[in-house]
Amino acid sequence: AQSVAQPEDQVNVAEGNPLTVKCTYSVSGNPYLFWYVQYPNRGLQFLLKYITGDNLVKGSYGFEAEFNKSQTSFHLKKPSALVSDSALYFCAVRDRGANAGKSTFGDGTTLTVKP
Amino acid sequence: NAGVTQTPKFQVLKTGQSMTLQCAQDMNHEYMSWYRQDPGMGLRLIHYSVGAGITDQGEVPNGYNVSRSTTEDFPLRLLSAAPSQTSVYFCASSPRLPQETQYFGPGTRLLVL
């Protein structure tokens, strides 16, 4: 069975500082990995994904994520945080095999960026 | 393109009542899913469908039914509502290929008294 862990419920950073939101996964075979963001009272919005190839993936709003197969991690990063980045972030994994229609999400990490 | 639409936005039910949460997408996506979101528990998959006429259970299917008679629609039925089903429900769709992004609806907030 596939699973995703986001070890931090909350991440606090000061505006202008770099941010990291952590994600580790467990899946048989090679995964598809995704990051989504949720603003208050809204649905989830796609940020970026890893399919294959370059381990560093660039996405929307200046976010990037690094895929590390040996550590089974897919941490979300941004070099300089903005107050408007404050939101709930979800990491998700999707199987390539028979369960390809099924996604598993982490519990989410609340990012707060303070001015 | 309306994307993924969900109705109603908010609903209050009494224990034991039944209701259907509607979900529709106009992107011709084959994959559709229902999730519930509870504080501290992320999104949990209730049911999903890989195409019209095909549905399967997710992580927390008990108390919910689904059907997929058309590509566009994927309603979620609560047969006999319980307070434990108080949650925010999200519908999502994506193209057939598993590397494709999911598109989420705005959610339905359900309160069961």
Side-chain angles (χ1 to χ4, degrees):
Chain A
Q2 58 196 35
S3 65
V4 174
Q6 292 181 241
E8 300 156 318
D9 290 337
Q10 180 107 17
V11 170
N12 297 314
V13 297
E15 188 172 31
N17 282 1
L19 69 87
T20 299
V21 182
K22 295 179 181 177
C23 171
T24 59
Y25 67 90
S26 173
V27 66
S28 58
N30 295 317
Y32 295 121
L33 295 160
F34 301 81
W35 276 102
Y36 291 86
V37 61
Q38 184 182 33
Y39 297 101
N41 300 312
R42 304 286 295 275
L44 277 69
Q45 298 174 32
F46 168 74
L47 268 182
L48 51 80
K49 64 182 176 183
Y50 172 80
I51 300 173
T52 188
D54 264 345
N55 289 342
L56 186 63
V57 178
K58 293 191 184 295
S60 308
Y61 312 120
F63 284 93
E64 57 190 29
E66 187 166 10
F67 172 65
N68 187 318
K69 188 171 182 177
S70 62
Q71 296 185 5
T72 61
S73 67
F74 189 54
H75 301 331
L76 181 70
K77 300 183 180 187
K78 187 172 182 182
S80 179
L82 299 172
V83 172
S84 57
D85 293 330
S86 298
L88 182 57
Y89 290 81
F90 289 99
C91 181
V93 64
R94 212 165 185 186
D95 195 353
R96 294 178 186 239
N99 292 319
K102 189 174 171 180
S103 293
T104 301
F105 284 77
D107 288 345
T109 298
T110 299
L111 172 67
T112 302
V113 182
K114 296 185 178 175
Chain B
N1 253 358
V4 180
T5 58
Q6 291 183 239
T7 56
K9 283 188 169 46
F10 181 70
Q11 183 73 45
V12 180
L13 290 179
K14 294 181 180 176
T15 297
Q17 286 184 316
S18 63
M19 80 160 293
T20 299
L21 279 62
Q22 301 292 345
C23 174
Q25 52 91 10
D26 61 358
M27 297 172 282
N28 203 32
H29 287 168
E30 291 182 85
Y31 286 2
M32 294 187 76
S33 304
W34 275 104
Y35 298 90
R36 59 178 288 173
Q37 183 179 24
D38 302 292
M41 301 187 77
L43 270 74
R44 291 183 291 169
L45 182 64
I46 304 171
H47 286 283
Y48 66 106
S49 168
V50 299
I54 307 168
T55 63
D56 205 349
Q57 294 182 350
E59 186 185 348
V60 289
N62 291 343
Y64 307 95
N65 271 1
V66 292
S67 60
R68 183 98 180 268
S69 55
T70 67
T71 299
E72 294 77 21
D73 299 298
F74 191 42
L76 178 72
R77 280 182 285 278
L78 281 70
L79 307 172
S80 177
S84 61
Q85 293 178 305
T86 294
S87 187
V88 181
Y89 292 85
F90 288 101
C91 179
S93 74
S94 70
R96 183 178 184 86
L97 298 173
Q99 64 263 41
E100 295 292 342
T101 304
Q102 289 189 90
Y103 294 81
F104 284 81
T108 294
R109 192 173 295 271
L110 177 67
L111 175 62
V112 183
L113 302 174

